[in-house]
Amino acid sequence: MPYKRLICSSLLLLSISACAWYQPQQDAQQAIDQQLVPASWAQNQAISANADSDWLQQFNDPLMLALIKEGQANNTDLRLAAANMDKAWLLAKQAGARLKPTVDLSLARTQSGSADGGSSNPAINVAVTASWELDLWGRIQAGVDAASSSAQASTADYLFAKHSLSNNIAKTYLKIIEAKQQAQLAQNNLEISQKNLRITLLKLELGSASEQDAALNKANVALAKDQLLNLNASTREALRAIEVLLGRYPSSRIEIASILPTLPKNPPAGIPSSVLERRPDIIAAERRVASAFNASAQAKAAQLPSFSLTGTLSGASPSLSDILSPANVAWQLGANLLTPLFDAGKRRIDVEISTLEQQQALDDYASSALNAFAEVEHNLDQAQLLSQREAVLAEALKQSQKAYHIAQLRYQEGESSLLDTLSFQQQAISAESSLLFIKRAQLEQRLNLYLALGGNW
């Protein structure tokens, strides 16, 4: 009885010590809380923690949503990220199995003999062996928590890959629409240039135009054709790009809308630091910090003694039918204490490595957080800039078209040269092309802003 009390007291003391020893989660949270988080955005507009969760639906484009859904189902890179996530959770489950006892069954048939030909009767041995390592210092639990945190990080990585894929599909979709509209603008320009060339050639025959005018018009037609060829090639390239994202063969035959969707509003003002709670890549970085602190605790606990219990129930008999006879059955219980004495500094180096990896995880988290804030600040600034540029270019287009119309009338009346008329024409076309680009850039800015905010998925 005194020995039993001593053992129970020792186990209780070790358990209390383990509780004091194992606190990686609290240490990780304290380290994360020390990272710098700004109180507000540098830009005039902050972001709500309740930003619209249906951010892609705000573009009101069913075809774009259907393509995104197809890409999420068939994209090979996303399936790879999903497989990595599933593997990480299996590893976490495997690590958790070490907390439970293991039971093994062995069955053997043995026979012995001597060199002169004599032999004994064959014997059948059956044994059930159970073993269980007591996790007194939390070493095994730390390994389980480290694996679980890594699995959670892999899940967040998968979510971020999914969101990034959706964003890339949407942006490529918008680029295709803009390319088609730019090509239509180039086609209109070509038709106008060809019409001007026909008029100039007719005037040349009548003697009211010069060879220089004809040459200028021919050059203008050639340049318009070159621009149209280039834009059509860019459209086909973008079509192949989106087909690859969707998991399709890149045949450039996919159907895409011809009109850009409506520009959604910016999210309302609110709490900027909420971005750290919603972005999957930030969540992944935070989970890797937790995993690193757990791995450090595991390495430290590995320097302490380990205690395990074993038990064996076995039977041996020449006949299988007598194997369970009480006379043939034996049992054995044991307790093992393993204390590390000398390992050439391996365990100490493991602790140093885990400490370095812990700091690396914290630095990665801080870097990811700063990048997240930088992306939001950039997109907020871009929203204001693009809005101002749209207004300026809309006015430039209006005045350029007016100037071109006046130049056409003056040329027809012989008051202006063809060169001046073509210059005004190119200015109007350039303004319209730039305005199309800005409209697509505004939609892309909304996509990037929602992605930078974590979207509230």
Side-chain angles (χ1 to χ4, degrees), residues 422-438:
L422 294 178
S423 176
F424 285 118
Q425 178 189 357
Q426 291 302 318
Q427 184 177 349
I429 292 172
S430 177
E432 188 172 1
S433 175
S434 297
L435 188 58
L436 279 175
F437 171 81
I438 290 299

Side-chain angles (χ1 to χ4, degrees), residues 69-139:
K69 185 176 181 180
E70 179 183 347
Q72 291 176 350
N74 300 326
N75 183 268
T76 53
D77 291 335
L78 188 60
R79 289 207 300 263
L80 178 61
N84 289 334
M85 175 186 66
D86 293 339
K87 178 182 177 182
W89 281 111
L90 288 174
L91 290 173
K93 185 176 181 179
Q94 184 183 62
R98 297 190 60 190
L99 287 169
K100 301 175 182 179
T102 60
V103 180
D104 299 311
L105 172 66
S106 64
L107 177 62
R109 183 180 184 276
T110 60
Q111 186 173 3
S112 61
S114 60
D116 60 3
S119 63
S120 63
N121 293 327
I124 299 175
N125 296 276
V126 177
V128 176
T129 303
S131 62
W132 181 30
E133 180 180 352
L134 301 181
D135 192 22
L136 298 177
W137 313 110
R139 175 178 58 84

Side-chain angles (χ1 to χ4, degrees), residues 27-307:
D27 294 340
Q29 189 58 51
Q30 290 175 1
I32 289 174
D33 291 341
Q34 293 174 358
Q35 300 301 322
L36 177 63
V37 177
S40 63
W41 300 109
Q43 296 300 321
N44 294 331
Q45 183 179 13
I47 301 302
S48 171
N50 297 316
D52 201 325
S53 59
D54 299 326
W55 62 285
L56 287 170
Q57 295 184 7
Q58 301 307 302
F59 291 85
N60 195 26
D61 194 322
L63 179 55
M64 184 179 75
L65 294 175
L67 293 176
I68 289 173
K69 185 176 181 180
E70 179 183 347
Q72 291 176 350
N74 300 326
N75 183 268
T76 53
D77 291 335
L78 188 60
R79 289 207 300 263
L80 178 61
N84 289 334
M85 175 186 66
D86 293 339
K87 178 182 177 182
W89 281 111
L90 288 174
L91 290 173
K93 185 176 181 179
Q94 184 183 62
R98 297 190 60 190
L99 287 169
K100 301 175 182 179
T102 60
V103 180
D104 299 311
L105 172 66
S106 64
L107 177 62
R109 183 180 184 276
T110 60
Q111 186 173 3
S112 61
S114 60
D116 60 3
S119 63
S120 63
N121 293 327
I124 299 175
N125 296 276
V126 177
V128 176
T129 303
S131 62
W132 181 30
E133 180 180 352
L134 301 181
D135 192 22
L136 298 177
W137 313 110
R139 175 178 58 84
I140 299 177
Q141 183 62 54
V144 174
D145 292 342
S148 297
S149 297
S150 294
Q152 292 167 354
S154 295
T155 300
D157 286 335
Y158 168 73
L159 291 175
F160 189 67
K162 186 177 181 180
H163 301 158
S164 298
L165 172 65
S166 301
N167 192 50
N168 287 334
I169 292 174
K171 289 196 291 186
T172 307
Y173 177 85
L174 297 176
K175 288 179 180 178
I176 294 171
I177 295 177
E178 187 210 347
K180 292 172 67 175
Q181 291 182 328
Q182 296 282 9
Q184 184 59 53
L185 179 61
Q187 179 64 43
N188 296 338
N189 179 36
L190 175 60
E191 292 173 358
I192 293 173
S193 299
Q194 290 173 334
K195 179 181 178 180
N196 290 338
L197 177 59
R198 289 194 297 270
I199 294 173
T200 302
L201 292 177
L202 181 60
K203 287 185 175 183
L204 181 62
E205 292 179 1
L206 297 175
S208 59
S210 65
E211 290 287 348
Q212 179 182 349
D213 291 341
L216 282 173
N217 270 299
K218 289 179 181 179
N220 203 40
V221 169
L223 290 174
K225 288 181 178 179
D226 176 71
Q227 184 183 28
L228 182 59
L229 288 171
N230 186 48
L231 287 169
N232 286 334
S234 298
T235 302
R236 292 193 299 271
E237 182 179 355
L239 287 170
R240 284 191 289 268
I242 199 171
E243 284 172 331
V244 170
L245 291 174
L246 299 178
R248 296 189 189 183
Y249 181 82
S251 62
S252 70
R253 296 177 181 177
I254 187 173
E255 291 295 328
I256 299 293
S258 300
I259 301 176
L260 288 170
T262 305
L263 180 67
K265 295 181 180 179
N266 264 331
I271 304 172
S273 61
S274 62
V275 66
L276 295 179
E277 301 172 1
R278 299 189 302 174
R279 278 184 57 142
D281 58 331
I282 301 298
I283 294 173
E286 185 273 330
R287 288 290 80 201
R288 290 190 176 93
V289 171
S291 179
F293 272 79
N294 282 304
S296 179
Q298 183 182 25
K300 292 175 182 177
Q303 300 178 104
L304 302 175
S306 61
F307 187 77

